[in-house]
Amino acid sequence: STQSTWGQSMWRRYYGDLVNVPWFSVYGNHDYEGADRCACYDDLSKCAQINPGQSGWFMPGYSYFDTRYLNSLKTEIIALDTNNLAVEDTCKYANCGGSICQNNLFKRTEAAVNLLEQRIAQSTAKNLLVFSHYPTDYFRRMPRVLDALKTPKYHVEFFGGHRHNVDQRSTVPISPGNSWLVGGGGGWGCDGTEQGFLLGFVNQDYTITTKAQLVDYRSCCN
């Protein structure tokens, strides 16, 4: 379609060759607001961001896991939709009534927690890369998630956004794993002076190291 062609063109214009690598994604609170009808239906076809077919964009469901790097990097990726953590702010903009949206987000968050626990029990990976829109301090009200992330069976790297900064000091530790806030880069606003992005490396011995790549925050924040 014309819209699809336009989307592909703009996607490639801004990201160049990066569109050819997988972009693993989940919904955040603002994604559920407004014109996207995903919050209002229990139907993936109503979700504009789920597998829109734009190059490397990868989002097959609300929550999911991916094992494409299991053999080469001994790593599994787990994506969690936990938007029930901000349900009131999200659903007041969802255009379908609070109760419908709230019920959908509750079910998706519960499914996400169940998926995480299932993969902790069943994965054969050495490393688990887990991400959600929300950083680990939001899961204080969901101890099941923190308990699962602290598993000694794997090395767990957790990435969350929502707040606009890049740091570890504001997150809840998940030792022996590692947790990051990776929401820094400007945009809507800044919640600190640590703006930039995160670099991650899978080493030859399959250990993982991470490093924040920061810029002068004044280039992102007014």
Side-chain angles (χ1 to χ4, degrees):
S1 68
T2 301
Q3 183 177 3
S4 177
T5 302
W6 179 87
Q8 292 273 9
S9 175
M10 295 300 291
W11 180 245
R12 188 168 295 279
R13 172 183 174 185
Y14 283 106
Y15 294 104
D17 289 340
L18 288 176
V19 304
N20 297 319
V21 300
W23 289 57
F24 297 95
S25 306
V26 290
Y27 269 89
N29 58 311
H30 291 302
D31 300 309
Y32 273 129
E33 299 168 4
D36 193 323
R37 305 298 289 169
C38 194
C40 300
Y41 294 90
D42 190 16
D43 179 355
L44 290 179
S45 70
K46 303 294 186 182
C47 301
Q49 295 189 41
I50 290 183
N51 275 351
Q54 292 189 0
S55 300
W57 185 271
F58 186 77
M59 190 174 169
Y62 311 119
S63 297
Y64 56 91
F65 68 97
D66 189 274
T67 59
R68 71 183 69 189
Y69 301 115
L70 183 60
N71 292 330
S72 60
L73 302 176
K74 300 189 185 304
T75 296
E76 180 174 319
I77 297 169
I78 304 173
L80 305 175
D81 185 328
T82 57
N83 281 284
N84 197 55
L85 292 169
V87 65
E88 293 183 0
D89 287 340
T90 301
C91 288
K92 69 182 179 182
Y93 299 112
N95 298 326
C96 60
S99 61
I100 296 174
C101 173
Q102 289 172 12
N103 185 55
N104 284 334
L105 297 193
F106 173 81
K107 290 191 297 183
R108 291 170 197 176
T109 299
E110 185 68 14
V113 178
N114 290 339
L115 175 66
L116 176 62
E117 292 177 334
Q118 177 193 77
R119 299 315 302 159
I120 294 292
Q122 299 178 2
S123 179
T124 60
K126 174 183 175 66
N127 304 302
L128 300 181
L129 303 186
V130 187
F131 68 97
S132 164
H133 182 70
Y134 303 92
T136 52
D137 50 290
Y138 272 74
F139 294 106
R140 287 190 179 103
R141 70 191 83 167
M142 297 178 67
R144 282 175 61 193
V145 174
L146 292 177
D147 288 345
L149 294 174
K150 293 176 182 178
T151 176
K153 288 180 61 179
Y154 315 94
H155 176 74
V156 177
E157 290 279 343
F158 184 90
F159 311 102
H162 196 60
R163 287 195 306 279
H164 304 108
N165 208 48
V166 178
D167 68 71
Q168 292 185 284
R169 57 183 169 73
S170 68
T171 68
V172 169
I174 57 168
S175 180
N178 201 26
S179 62
W180 279 95
L181 171 69
V182 290
W188 181 85
C190 298
D191 295 315
T193 59
E194 295 150 292
Q195 300 297 313
F197 57 92
L198 189 69
L199 295 173
F201 305 90
V202 181
N203 304 306
Q204 287 188 339
D205 62 355
Y206 304 110
T207 58
I208 291 180
T209 54
T210 51
K211 176 184 177 182
Q213 187 72 35
L214 303 179
V215 300
D216 186 335
Y217 77 95
R218 290 168 294 188
S219 66
C220 299
C221 312
N222 295 321

